[in-house]
Structure formats: C-alpha cells, structure tokens
Amino acid sequence: MNPLKNPFSPGAGSPPPELVGRDPILDQARILLGRVKRKKSEKSMLLTGLRGVGKTVLLNEIERLAKMEGYRTIFIEAHEDKPLGSLIVPYLRTLLYELDRMAGAGDKVKRGLAVLRSFVGALKITVDDVTYGLDIDPEKGTADSGDLEIDLANLFVAIGEAAENRSTALAIFIDEVQYFSEIELAALIMAMHKLQQRQLPVVLLGAGLPILPGLAGDSKSYAERLFSFPDIGALSAQDAAKALQDPANAVGVTFDPAALDEIFRLTKGYPYFVQEWGYQSWNRATSSPITFDLVQTATAGVIPRLDKNFFRVRFERLTPSEKNFLRAMAQLGPDAHRTGDIAGVLGVKVTSLGPVRAKLIKKGMIYSPAHGDMAFTVPLFDEFMIRVMPHFQS
Ligand SMILES: Nc1ncnc2c1ncn2[C@@H]1O[C@H](COP(=O)(O)OP(=O)(O)OP(=O)(O)O)[C@@H](O)[C@H]1O
Ligand SMILES: [Mg+2]
C-alpha cells in the first residue's frame, strides 16, 4: 500500500500515530503539574522502563501538557560523558534571560543570573560561551563551593525564586537520567528536596532505565520520598491492537484479528516493535485487510532490519568479553539472572565478572531489577544475541 500514507512511526522518540495505554500516567502528570503550579507539594516523576517502550515520547507529551498549563520548560538529554552542570547551564541561562524580559518587579531574576554565574565559575569544566554571555558579576559564596550537591541546590532555589517572582512555574525534563553519575543524581535529588521544602514552583520530570537500585544511602531514601517511579512497560494485547488498528482505520485499512494476534505474539507488546511490524506490514500489503500471511511475510523483512539497526548499533559498542557476558545471559533466557548463573555458563568465577558487568551497566545494556540480578535493557535482545553469536567468542 502507498508508503506515503503509512501511519506507523518506528524510531527513537518518533511520536506514534496514537499514544495508547498511557492515560493513567498522563493523568498523574496533569495532577502533578496542576498542584506544583499552585505551590502544593507533589512527588516529581521519573518514568522508568526498558529501551523502546516509549519513555521519550511520553516525556515530550508531558512537556506539551506543561506548556499548556503555562509552564516554562527545559528539556535535556543526559549523555554518558557529559557532566550535568555543563549540560543544564545553557538552558537555565536562556530561561533566566526570558524571565528577565518579562514584566515584573523585584530583583530575584537578576540574582538568579548572578548565582548562575558563580555556579559556572565553580564548574571544573568551562562553559565558555555561557560565561562570555553572562555579563553580570557572580554572587560570591553562593553555588560556588565546588561541591555539586550544595551548589546545584542553591542554583535551583535561586532559579525557583526567580520563576516565582515572575509568577510562572518551571518544568525541567531530563531524558536518559541513568547516564548521570551517582554524585550528579544525588545532587539532583537534594536540589529537588530543597525546592520542595521551600514550595517553589519547579517540577522535575525524568525518564530512563531504572536507577533506584543503583542509588545508596540518603539519596535513595530521599528519592523514594520525592519521586514516583511509574513503570513504563509493554502494551497489553488490547492496547497493541489499538495502536495498530486505529491509525490504519483512519485511512481506511484494517488488520485481520489473526494478524493482530500474530504481531502481538512476535512483539510481546513492545511499542517500538509494534510500530516496526505495523510499518513493514503496511508497506508489503497490496490491499486491505492486512492478513496473518502478510504479517508473516513482513516478519521475514523486519527481523533483519531490527538486527541491522536497533540491535546492531548496540552490539557494535561491545568488547568481546562484554559480548560473551550477554551471550551467557541470553543462553539463560529473557528474564533476570543471578551473576552466579552467568558465571556458571561462562565457566568462570563470579568475582571475575565484576568489571565487565559494571561496564555493561554504564553502557545501558543491562540493569539490576533487584539486588544481585541482571536483566537486559533492550527487549528481545536475548534472541538477537543467539542469532548474531551462535557460539561464544574466544
Ligand atoms: N504508547 C505507545 N503506543 C504506540 N507506540 C508507541 C507508544 N509509545 C511509544 N511508541 C513507539 O515506540 C517507539 C519508541 O519510543 P521512544 O523512543 O519514546 O522509546 P524510549 O523508551 O524512549 O526508548 P529508549 O530507551 O531507547 O530511549 C517509537 O517508534 C514510538 O512511536
Ligand atoms: Mg528514549
């Protein structure tokens, strides 16, 4: 059928034709935004889930809701090797200049700029263009101690006061939060704690792989009190069917029930895969309805495409020992496994696996759903590992 009319949208962060199955989370977000704007305390949100379940598109949708509610928004994506400070500073600078241009009395916005200037001064790394553009004297003694936990909290409070001063509210969106270091996460959590204590109109909405199990001590207990962690998972069979059927119906095409069942069986309801199967089935079909047989033909094309793109890019970033670790996990099946069992498959001591496991966690390939357990962050990666690596590498 006409590929130009294909409604499906496989791809990182590509908005789906219909965002199904997420109403409870969107409702929760609406309440959160409504309450914070009225300076009532409410837990911030960190959406957690595996790769390709739709965290980024949800975060984008919540940003849209926030703007409709009158929030100023900032949207950043964390990176493996970019520090939190230099990532966020340019956005805060733009925000403060915007607030500065708004009508309103008081000097909180100017103070926000001065505090931002001292924060930048204390950053080990330089944010050249920002320092250059901040033609204001730093506020000495605030946010310049060099201890991120203290400085970020001071900075956020100054920004929160500036927003309050201009009768507006601020929503900070952070995608891929798992890439922050433990120190950065702790600082972020403490900063939110300070904002909440002072009832300033700032809300944090994050998304990423599950981070809670990796946090320790105080930051963990604060995190549990300050944030809710909605689990973004696969779609139910009914929702997956809706995600396929509704957009197709809108352009006069239908799926046979057996075709929908087959796509659900193959994708297990993971949104990225649902879009991919929908997309390929559409392109291969010559007429409506899309049948079971057609889906099977499409599958022959989808698997190599996934192997070449979605899975392969991740596979190529791995060292041989990391590949063997994942291959051993795959051998044990798709669920979470104890490191001891993985060591057993590889025929090595558990202790020897520590470094490779840590690297795989840092690369976002595996995570720990519960103490001592390891699971894949990429759905269906176990099947891919066995396809791509029938044997262990030496
Ligand atoms: N609720 C949904 N219904 C149907 N399709 C969806 C839904 N949510 C996301 N998708 C589709 O799933 C794909 C992946 O979405 P997205 O990039 O937001 O996932 P993610 O969780 O951010 O993944 P990653 O962890 O790799 O960043 C996109 O093609 C998107 O269109
Ligand atoms: Mg994403």
Side-chain angles (χ1 to χ4, degrees), residues 55-56 175-176:
K55 300 179 295 296
T56 300
D175 203 359
E176 306 279 353

Side-chain angles (χ1 to χ4, degrees), residues 35-42 44 71 108 111 153-165 168-170 191-204:
R35 284 183 59 88
V36 170
K37 206 176 127 193
R38 290 167 183 77
K39 296 204 229 150
K40 297 209 178 350
S41 69
E42 187 63 52
S44 280
Y71 275 79
K108 295 286 189 198
R111 174 168 187 259
N154 283 335
L155 174 63
F156 273 28
V157 167
I159 303 264
E161 286 176 350
E164 186 183 41
N165 195 235
T168 183
L170 169 64
M192 291 313 294
H193 178 52
K194 278 269 151 53
L195 285 168
Q196 218 192 44
Q197 276 179 338
R198 310 219 177 167
Q199 298 193 302
L200 290 168
V202 182
V203 58
L204 178 70

Side-chain angles (χ1 to χ4, degrees), residues 31-328:
I31 293 172
L32 166 62
L33 292 166
R35 284 183 59 88
V36 170
K37 206 176 127 193
R38 290 167 183 77
K39 296 204 229 150
K40 297 209 178 350
S41 69
E42 187 63 52
K43 286 183 172 185
S44 280
M45 272 167 100
L46 275 179
L47 313 172
T48 59
L50 302 182
R51 292 278 169 213
V53 291
K55 300 179 295 296
T56 300
V57 298
L58 257 178
L59 217 50
N60 283 320
E61 176 62 14
I62 299 173
E63 184 186 27
R64 204 181 60 81
L65 297 177
K67 284 187 170 145
M68 273 167 36
E69 268 279 326
Y71 275 79
R72 305 259 146 182
T73 66
I74 286 178
F75 197 110
I76 63 179
E77 185 182 327
H79 283 277
E80 243 163 302
D81 1 75
K82 189 145 187 200
L84 168 60
S86 47
L87 201 59
I88 203 167
V89 161
Y91 292 92
L92 295 179
R93 171 178 173 269
T94 305
L95 171 85
L96 285 167
Y97 277 122
E98 271 174 31
L99 294 181
D100 198 33
R101 282 195 295 272
M102 284 170 79
D107 54 7
K108 295 286 189 198
V109 179
K110 287 275 185 295
R111 174 168 187 259
L113 282 164
V115 173
L116 182 66
R117 180 74 180 80
S118 35
F119 182 80
V120 171
L123 286 181
K124 297 263 158 31
I125 27 76
T126 46
V127 191
D128 290 337
D129 51 340
V130 173
T131 322
Y132 183 69
L134 278 168
D135 51 352
I136 190 161
D137 288 333
E139 182 177 300
K140 290 232 166 58
T142 307
D144 58 3
S145 73
D147 178 341
L148 188 66
E149 205 165 291
I150 297 168
D151 294 349
L152 193 72
N154 283 335
L155 174 63
F156 273 28
V157 167
I159 303 264
E161 286 176 350
E164 186 183 41
N165 195 235
R166 288 293 185 268
S167 308
T168 183
L170 169 64
I172 302 174
F173 293 84
I174 305 184
D175 203 359
E176 306 279 353
V177 280
Q178 78 282 350
Y179 284 137
F180 286 137
S181 69
E182 224 173 289
I183 293 173
E184 291 169 331
L185 276 174
L188 205 53
I189 290 162
M190 287 313 289
M192 291 313 294
H193 178 52
K194 278 269 151 53
L195 285 168
Q196 218 192 44
Q197 276 179 338
R198 310 219 177 167
Q199 298 193 302
L200 290 168
V202 182
V203 58
L204 178 70
L205 293 126
L209 302 172
I211 52 156
L212 250 193
L215 291 174
D218 283 352
S219 17
K220 183 163 189 154
S221 62
Y222 278 121
E224 279 165 344
R225 266 190 284 146
L226 292 168
F227 292 92
S228 71
F229 293 88
D231 183 21
I232 314 300
L235 303 173
S236 66
Q238 211 186 350
D239 285 338
K242 194 168 150 56
L244 292 161
Q245 197 74 280
D246 286 4
N249 284 170
V251 270
V253 172
T254 57
F255 283 84
D256 274 345
L260 293 173
D261 289 347
E262 178 64 358
I263 295 182
F264 184 73
R265 187 183 71 78
L266 293 160
T267 60
K268 303 196 168 77
Y270 282 107
Y272 183 91
F273 301 134
V274 170
Q275 294 300 327
E276 189 73 58
W277 256 275
Y279 185 82
Q280 295 298 331
S281 303
W282 175 285
N283 282 355
R284 277 164 195 255
T286 47
S287 62
S288 175
I290 294 175
T291 62
F292 175 86
D293 287 344
L294 194 273
V295 169
Q296 287 204 316
T297 332
T299 302
V302 173
I303 303 261
R305 246 179 72 105
L306 285 175
D307 283 3
K308 249 199 292 175
N309 304 304
F310 189 73
F311 295 127
R312 178 61 87 173
V313 290
R314 299 183 155 87
F315 183 76
E316 273 167 5
R317 297 170 59 223
L318 306 169
T319 64
S321 54
E322 290 165 358
K323 287 178 183 165
N324 279 336
F325 186 104
L326 296 181
R327 179 62 179 78

